[in-house]
Amino acid sequence: MKPEEVAAYLQEHPEFFEQQADMMAEIFIPHPHGGRTISISERQILTLREKSKQLESKLREIIQFGEENDAIGEKMHRMALALLGARDIETVLNAVGFNLREDFAVPHAVLRVWRSNGPADLPEFAPVGAATREFAAGLANPYCGNQAMAETLDLFGEAGPHLRSFAYVVLREREAFGLLALASEDAQRFYPEMGTVHLKRLGEMTSAALSGYLNSA
């Protein structure tokens, strides 16, 4: 019989262990971590201990993710309050920059808006190239990676050559009207496989706060 057939038989006939109790007590199998042999019951205990350790490790991982999400949620809440309390577009822009820098520890953040009714004297409303606007318009979700996209590296000024990871969040109402670009010298800060739920919410909050002032301008 093949091992799979033996395993299937034992699963289908659990009474075998009761009927052959004496024989089971005489069977010894290799220890998984050494050369000696142990009884089947000892092997079962070892298996249960190993599964328990795996479950404990998974539980610690889940708790860690939960704590991290709670911390991010608190930061998002503080940013939302700051945006709600803003009384003009300059305060909105300052709130975004301050919270990204101080609360989220993002070392480099650049925001650009190309709505024609924005205050042209603010750097956030400085002209951007067509490639940047087209890139933003094509973003259904935030984009993260290790390369600057669509000629955006120049937006970071002198820090540009030292940046190793980037995140891009579109600012959108009915259509894209701006782009929030984040960057870091750490190549692992923003990477392609990272989750982008919080980045997307950040873009939605910023878009809503800016739209309120741009639409009334």
Side-chain angles (χ1 to χ4, degrees):
M1 296 179 68
K2 297 180 180 179
E4 295 81 5
E5 295 173 334
V6 175
Y9 175 84
L10 294 176
Q11 288 177 334
E12 295 172 1
H13 300 84
E15 70 278 2
F16 172 87
F17 297 99
E18 181 178 353
Q19 296 170 354
Q20 305 295 331
D22 293 339
M23 182 199 71
M24 298 297 293
E26 297 174 358
I27 295 179
F28 290 85
I29 58 180
H31 191 287
H33 306 300
R36 67 187 181 90
T37 58
I38 56 176
S39 67
I40 289 181
S41 60
E42 288 180 281
R43 184 65 180 88
Q44 288 177 318
I45 292 173
L46 287 174
T47 299
L48 290 174
R49 287 176 178 171
E50 291 173 356
K51 288 184 178 179
S52 178
K53 289 180 180 179
Q54 292 174 359
L55 290 174
E56 288 176 358
S57 176
K58 190 66 176 178
L59 179 59
R60 286 194 297 269
E61 183 179 340
I62 292 173
I63 291 174
Q64 180 182 351
F65 286 154
E67 291 175 345
E68 290 175 354
N69 282 331
D70 284 345
I72 294 175
E74 181 64 26
K75 295 174 183 178
M76 296 290 286
H77 178 66
R78 287 196 292 267
M79 185 168 183
L81 291 178
L83 293 176
L84 287 171
R87 293 293 176 262
D88 51 53
I89 197 166
E90 290 85 352
T91 309
V92 170
L93 297 172
N94 289 334
V96 173
F98 178 84
N99 281 270
L100 286 174
R101 182 177 62 255
E102 301 298 330
D103 227 356
F104 290 92
V106 176
H108 306 279
V110 176
L111 191 152
R112 287 292 183 271
V113 178
W114 44 85
R115 286 274 288 271
S116 59
N117 58 341
D121 58 325
L122 296 178
E124 288 82 2
F125 289 85
V128 296
T132 299
R133 296 195 298 271
E134 291 173 4
F135 170 69
L139 285 179
N141 294 295
Y143 173 86
C144 300
N146 298 116
Q147 297 292 330
M149 303 298 291
E151 304 174 356
T152 58
L153 191 61
D154 291 340
L155 298 178
F156 295 98
E158 296 180 355
H162 308 288
L163 302 178
R164 296 294 178 266
S165 63
F166 303 84
Y168 297 96
V169 185
V170 64
L171 304 180
R172 187 189 303 276
E173 193 176 19
R174 288 181 294 274
E175 59 184 22
F177 67 84
L179 181 69
L180 180 60
L182 315 177
S184 172
E185 290 88 350
D186 180 2
Q188 299 302 315
R189 180 65 190 275
F190 304 110
Y191 53 94
E193 298 81 12
M194 70 180 292
T196 59
V197 172
H198 295 297
L199 286 173
K200 187 172 184 178
R201 290 175 179 171
L202 173 64
E204 291 170 347
M205 288 194 306
T206 304
S207 298
L210 288 172
S211 295
Y213 291 102
L214 293 173
N215 291 336
S216 61

